[in-house]
Coordinates of all heavy atoms in Angstrom, one line a residue:
N244 N 14.4 2.5 2.6 CA 14.0 1.1 2.7 C 14.7 0.2 1.6 O 15.2 0.7 0.6 CB 12.5 1.0 2.6 CG 11.8 1.6 3.8 OD1 12.4 1.7 4.9 ND2 10.6 2.1 3.7
D271 N 5.3 7.2 0.1 CA 5.2 7.0 1.5 C 6.6 6.9 2.1 O 7.4 6.1 1.5 CB 4.3 5.8 1.9 CG 4.0 5.7 3.4 OD1 4.9 5.5 4.2 OD2 2.8 5.7 3.7
L272 N 6.9 7.6 3.2 CA 8.3 7.7 3.6 C 8.6 6.8 4.8 O 9.7 6.9 5.4 CB 8.6 9.2 3.9 CG 8.2 10.1 2.8 CD1 8.1 11.6 3.3 CD2 9.3 10.1 1.7
G273 N 7.6 6.0 5.3 CA 7.8 5.3 6.5 C 8.7 4.1 6.4 O 9.3 3.8 5.3
H274 N 8.7 3.3 7.5 CA 9.6 2.1 7.5 C 8.9 0.9 6.8 O 9.6 -0.1 6.4 CB 9.9 1.7 8.9 CG 10.5 2.7 9.7 ND1 9.9 3.7 10.3 CD2 11.8 2.8 10.1 CE1 10.7 4.5 11.0 NE2 11.9 4.0 10.9
D275 N 7.6 0.9 6.6 CA 6.9 -0.3 6.1 C 5.8 0.1 5.2 O 4.6 0.3 5.6 CB 6.3 -1.1 7.3 CG 7.3 -1.6 8.2 OD1 8.0 -2.5 7.9 OD2 7.4 -1.1 9.4
F276 N 6.1 0.1 3.9 CA 5.1 0.5 2.9 C 5.6 0.0 1.6 O 6.7 0.3 1.1 CB 4.8 2.0 2.8 CG 3.7 2.4 2.0 CD1 2.4 2.4 2.5 CD2 3.9 2.6 0.6 CE1 1.3 2.8 1.6 CE2 2.8 2.9 -0.2 CZ 1.5 3.0 0.3
Y277 N 4.7 -0.8 0.8 CA 5.1 -1.3 -0.5 C 3.9 -1.8 -1.3 O 2.8 -2.0 -0.7 CB 6.1 -2.5 -0.2 CG 6.8 -3.0 -1.4 CD1 7.8 -2.1 -2.0 CD2 6.6 -4.2 -2.0 CE1 8.5 -2.5 -3.1 CE2 7.3 -4.6 -3.1 CZ 8.3 -3.7 -3.7 OH 8.9 -4.1 -4.8
G293 N -2.0 0.2 0.5 CA -0.7 -0.4 0.3 C -0.5 -1.6 1.3 O -1.3 -1.8 2.2
W294 N 0.5 -2.3 1.0 CA 0.9 -3.4 1.9 C 1.7 -2.7 3.1 O 2.7 -2.0 2.8 CB 1.9 -4.4 1.2 CG 2.4 -5.5 2.0 CD1 1.9 -6.1 3.1 CD2 3.6 -6.2 1.7 NE1 2.7 -7.1 3.6 CE2 3.7 -7.2 2.8 CE3 4.6 -6.1 0.8 CZ2 4.8 -8.1 2.8 CZ3 5.6 -7.0 0.8 CH2 5.8 -8.0 1.8
M295 N 1.2 -2.9 4.3 CA 1.8 -2.2 5.4 C 3.0 -2.9 6.0 O 3.1 -3.1 7.2 CB 0.7 -1.9 6.5 CG 1.0 -0.9 7.5 SD -0.5 -0.2 8.3 CE -1.1 -1.6 9.2
D296 N 3.8 -3.4 5.1 CA 5.0 -4.1 5.5 C 5.9 -4.1 4.2 O 5.6 -3.4 3.3 CB 4.7 -5.6 5.8 CG 3.9 -5.7 7.1 OD1 4.5 -5.5 8.2 OD2 2.7 -6.0 7.0
M297 N 7.0 -4.8 4.2 CA 7.7 -4.9 3.0 C 8.7 -6.1 3.1 O 8.9 -6.7 4.2 CB 8.5 -3.7 2.8 CG 9.6 -3.4 3.8 SD 10.6 -2.0 3.2 CE 9.4 -1.0 2.3
A300 N 11.4 -7.2 6.0 CA 11.0 -6.7 7.3 C 10.9 -7.8 8.3 O 10.8 -9.0 7.9 CB 9.6 -6.0 7.2
Q301 N 10.9 -7.5 9.6 CA 10.7 -8.5 10.6 C 9.2 -8.6 10.9 O 8.6 -7.5 10.8 CB 11.5 -8.2 11.9 CG 13.0 -8.4 11.6 CD 13.8 -8.2 12.9 OE1 13.4 -7.5 13.8 NE2 14.9 -8.8 12.9
F302 N 8.7 -9.7 11.2 CA 7.3 -9.9 11.4 C 7.1 -10.6 12.8 O 6.9 -11.8 12.9 CB 6.6 -10.7 10.3 CG 6.7 -10.1 9.0 CD1 7.7 -10.3 8.1 CD2 5.6 -9.3 8.6 CE1 7.7 -9.7 6.8 CE2 5.6 -8.7 7.3 CZ 6.7 -8.9 6.5
T314 N -2.7 -1.0 4.6 CA -2.9 0.3 5.2 C -4.4 0.7 5.1 O -5.2 0.1 4.5 CB -2.2 1.4 4.3 OG1 -2.8 1.5 3.0 CG2 -0.7 1.1 4.2
R317 N -6.5 5.5 1.4 CA -6.1 6.9 1.3 C -6.6 7.5 0.0 O -6.5 6.9 -1.1 CB -4.6 7.0 1.3 CG -4.0 6.4 2.6 CD -2.8 5.7 2.4 NE -2.2 5.2 3.7 CZ -0.9 5.1 4.0 NH1 0.0 5.5 3.1 NH2 -0.5 4.7 5.1
R406 N 12.0 5.0 14.7 CA 11.6 3.8 15.3 C 12.9 3.1 15.8 O 13.7 2.8 15.0 CB 10.9 2.9 14.3 CG 10.4 1.6 15.0 CD 9.6 0.7 14.0 NE 10.5 0.2 13.0 CZ 10.1 -0.5 11.9 NH1 8.9 -0.6 11.6 NH2 11.0 -1.0 11.0
R411 N 13.4 7.9 9.6 CA 12.9 8.2 8.3 C 12.5 9.7 8.4 O 11.8 10.1 9.4 CB 11.7 7.4 7.9 CG 12.0 5.9 7.8 CD 12.8 5.6 6.5 NE 13.1 4.2 6.4 CZ 14.3 3.6 6.8 NH1 15.2 4.4 7.4 NH2 14.5 2.4 6.7
I432 N 1.4 2.5 12.7 CA 1.2 4.0 12.8 C 1.3 4.6 11.4 O 2.1 4.2 10.6 CB 2.2 4.6 13.7 CG1 2.0 6.2 13.8 CG2 3.7 4.3 13.3 CD1 2.7 6.8 15.0
F443 N 4.0 8.9 6.4 CA 4.9 7.8 6.9 C 4.1 6.7 7.5 O 3.2 6.9 8.3 CB 5.7 8.4 8.1 CG 6.7 9.5 7.8 CD1 6.3 10.8 7.6 CD2 8.1 9.2 7.6 CE1 7.2 11.8 7.3 CE2 9.0 10.2 7.4 CZ 8.5 11.5 7.2
T444 N 4.4 5.5 7.0 CA 3.7 4.3 7.5 C 4.7 3.3 8.1 O 5.7 3.0 7.4 CB 2.9 3.6 6.4 OG1 2.0 4.5 5.8 CG2 2.2 2.3 6.9
S445 N 4.5 2.9 9.3 CA 5.4 2.0 10.0 C 4.7 1.0 10.9 O 3.6 1.4 11.4 CB 6.4 2.7 10.8 OG 7.2 3.7 10.0
R446 N 5.2 -0.2 11.0 CA 4.7 -1.1 12.0 C 5.5 -0.9 13.3 O 6.7 -0.5 13.2 CB 4.8 -2.6 11.5 CG 4.1 -2.9 10.3 CD 2.6 -2.9 10.4 NE 2.0 -3.8 11.5 CZ 1.8 -5.1 11.3 NH1 2.0 -5.7 10.1 NH2 1.3 -5.9 12.2
F447 N 5.0 -1.3 14.4 CA 5.7 -1.3 15.7 C 5.2 -2.4 16.6 O 4.1 -2.8 16.4 CB 5.7 0.1 16.3 CG 4.3 0.4 16.9 CD1 3.8 -0.1 18.1 CD2 3.4 1.3 16.1 CE1 2.5 0.2 18.5 CE2 2.2 1.6 16.6 CZ 1.7 1.1 17.8
Y448 N 6.0 -2.8 17.5 CA 5.6 -3.9 18.4 C 6.0 -3.5 19.9 O 7.1 -3.2 20.2 CB 6.4 -5.1 18.0 CG 5.9 -5.5 16.5 CD1 6.6 -5.0 15.4 CD2 4.8 -6.3 16.3 CE1 6.2 -5.3 14.1 CE2 4.3 -6.5 15.0 CZ 5.1 -6.1 14.0 OH 4.6 -6.3 12.7

Side-chain angles (χ1 to χ4, degrees):
N244 291 332
D271 189 295
L272 306 160
H274 301 80
D275 296 290
F276 186 89
Y277 194 64
W294 179 25
M295 197 158 66
D296 292 287
M297 65 169 36
Q301 290 184 334
F302 295 91
T314 66
R317 298 143 179 217
R406 184 178 69 189
R411 296 287 178 266
I432 180 166
F443 295 78
T444 300
S445 301
R446 298 294 300 277
F447 67 81
Y448 298 91

